Amino acid sequence: MPNGSLSLPARLYLLAWDTARQEATDAAGLHHLVRAGALTELVRRGLLTDEDGIATPVDLDALTGDAVLDGLLELVRESRPHRWRAWVTLRARATQDAVREQLTAEGYLRAEKSRVLGVFPTVEYVLERVADVRALQEEARRVLRGPVPVAEVSDRDAAVVALAAAAELRTLLPGKDRTGRRQRLEELTERSGAASPVLRRVLPEVLMAVSVPAAG
């Protein structure tokens, strides 16, 4: 998938961007999807593991060098134990805000400051690298639709698409496209855990949490 240096949460945030309307679609649940991506990335990197259904840091001192992922690692370490589903929603907006700041620093977004009613400061975000995001979205659609065999899709790309589809992200999966993809999605979900037995075990719970609207 293009822009291979982007982490899973960053990719998912950009996949949700409506490039025509210049806004993030599915905004109500986007923070849960982004958090799910961060959890998945940390499991893939071997920094979070599963202990009887509890998301557990593998090393209390390890860092990724990615501010978004390290922020979530620190939160998990400092909080009381929680199951994976709880971590998809718990303080999830903090992870989304960190991703947005990261993408702004990397030039994908531009922050525009203004004032509501001329008094209250606010920030609006504008997509800068439109062509890059469109390429990312188109490649995700190809992963979802084929014709590339699932076995030839990287486990990372499969995870991105499985998560985005679980959230019914409209930029990836328009309403008319939601039928007839079940078998492909099941295969992509299985492919997502190919490189990590831990991820294979916890991903179904993470996907379920993303697909069920929840406050948080």
Side-chain angles (χ1 to χ4, degrees):
M1 202 174 283
N3 303 297
S5 62
L6 290 171
S7 68
L8 291 188
R11 287 185 183 211
L12 289 164
Y13 185 89
L14 291 175
L15 279 179
W17 200 276
D18 186 327
T19 58
R21 299 177 64 181
Q22 273 290 353
E23 64 183 11
T25 187
D26 301 293
L30 182 55
H31 53 309
H32 298 154
L33 176 59
V34 170
R35 168 60 68 76
L39 290 168
T40 301
E41 185 79 88
L42 288 171
V43 174
R44 290 186 71 259
R45 296 191 186 198
L47 294 169
L48 280 182
T49 191
D50 177 70
E51 292 188 1
D52 297 324
I54 301 297
T56 306
V58 173
D59 186 328
L60 295 180
D61 298 313
L63 295 173
T64 67
D66 181 297
V68 175
L69 301 177
D70 289 341
L72 178 53
L73 262 182
E74 182 178 0
L75 181 61
V76 174
R77 287 168 181 155
E78 293 179 350
S79 303
R80 66 181 179 83
H82 292 287
R83 301 187 69 85
W84 296 93
R85 181 178 294 199
W87 276 120
V88 170
T89 59
L90 184 63
R91 295 175 57 185
R93 293 189 189 279
T95 298
Q96 178 179 278
D97 291 347
V99 166
R100 195 162 49 201
E101 290 176 10
Q102 184 181 68
L103 291 171
T104 301
E106 293 178 359
Y108 283 90
L109 303 175
R110 182 179 75 252
E112 294 186 345
K113 297 180 180 180
S114 62
R115 290 184 179 274
V116 177
L117 302 177
V119 177
F120 305 104
T122 186
V123 178
E124 298 291 336
Y125 291 87
V126 178
L127 185 64
E128 286 282 271
R129 297 171 61 173
V130 176
D132 288 345
V133 172
R134 285 177 177 164
L136 186 72
Q137 292 173 341
E138 185 54 39
E139 181 58 27
R141 294 185 194 107
R142 282 197 290 268
V143 169
L144 174 62
R145 297 169 182 165
V148 177
V150 170
E152 297 179 17
V153 175
S154 74
D155 60 291
R156 196 163 189 261
D157 288 351
V160 170
V161 173
L163 286 163
E168 297 187 351
L169 208 59
R170 290 193 294 272
T171 51
L172 172 68
L173 201 67
K176 63 181 181 180
D177 226 12
R178 291 176 187 173
T179 59
R181 305 289 179 191
R182 179 174 298 177
Q183 182 176 348
R184 178 79 172 182
L185 284 170
E186 288 176 354
E187 293 172 356
L188 287 169
T189 300
E190 180 67 21
R191 178 64 180 158
S192 301
S196 170
V198 175
L199 185 57
R200 187 180 299 114
R201 189 161 66 248
V202 305
L203 189 58
E205 186 173 351
V206 172
L207 291 172
M208 180 66 71
V210 169
S211 66
V212 177

